[in-house]
Amino acid sequence: MFPAERPRRLRSSAAVRNLVAENRVDPQQLIQPLFVKEGNEDPRQIKGLPGVLQHNLETISAAVDEVLAAGVGGIMLFAIPTKRDASGSEACNPNGILNVAVRQVAAQVGDRAVVIADLCLDEFTDHGHCGVLAADGSVDNDATLTAYAAMAIELAKAGANMLGASGMMDGQVGFVRAALDEAGFKDVSILAYAAKYASAFYGPFRDAVESELQGDRKTYQQDPRNLRESLREIRLDAEEGADIVMVKPALAYLDVIREARLTVDIPVAAYIVSGEMAMLEAAAAAGLIERERAILEVLHSVKRAGADVICTYWAVEAASLLRSN
Ligand code: PBG
């Protein structure tokens, strides 16, 4: 008798396919990034990311309502200040735009979703780097840690549940953890951007935050040629007390997500970044691929690779696509 095995039986109807599906993306495990700009009169559409807006403090509250109504599990906040300086001092100003937005969103959300704030200086520095600079113009790792700790405490005071440590400075997770604990914020958790690559796929994000960066971030973000290095970064962040480790970007780094999942016993997150979204949206707009199917396919690919949590600009839309899928 040939063939003896007939795998097609389990694909013969939607019902049986749904019954045996190995992976499901749950809206509660999605994170929706949101951008807010100080003094923004009207929300601005970000180039290349259809539907992603640079909000003001009023319109962001409607966006937060949509996240809650969609049952999306987390909100990641990025803010663009009007004033930038060499040390990124607005990041530590309790009345700076990020802290104000966190306070407002945290009050609005309560315990219905996790409020995550980006813990990084790049939006606040006039040179656009993720840290402060030494006299020779290089990014000063240890001076940056002190700034991150101060920023972390302000964000915790403002009500952030979780901090996205995204700067790729050595020791940042341990340093920020100790500072939070000492200030009494033992329940504020750290989402460590453990394996963050120096990627061309951050292009549209630079527009979203109006980045001033000249040059690149290759002295702190990772070389795309490396995998083993990610495992080292992930191990270090886990040892330093990260609550969740993240891999970023996601789609070009599915192998890293896989290895991360096999390496640590804490949740693994992955961030489908702006350029990854923009590629799919551009191809769909050109009529080359079916947009909604492609979105669901990439989300499931990230899940299948091993991500427990997925950060994506499609979070709210995906929640409804997944429910009607
Ligand atoms: C830095 C940061 C970046 C992104 C998130 N946090 C940009 C960078 O490292 O240059 C990119 C996200 C995206 O492209 O969607 N704080």
Side-chain angles (χ1 to χ4, degrees), residues 257-286:
I257 298 172
R258 182 82 199 143
E259 291 292 330
R261 182 59 290 157
L262 295 173
T263 303
V264 287
D265 59 4
I266 54 178
V268 171
Y271 194 145
I272 301 174
V273 301
S274 59
E276 295 179 320
M277 176 189 191
M279 268 195 307
L280 188 155
E281 292 284 357

Side-chain angles (χ1 to χ4, degrees), residues 56-61 99-109 158:
N56 57 40
L57 286 169
E58 269 168 58
T59 62
I60 201 168
S61 105
N99 287 310
V100 169
V102 167
R103 212 173 291 129
Q104 176 183 310
V105 171
Q108 184 180 348
V109 166

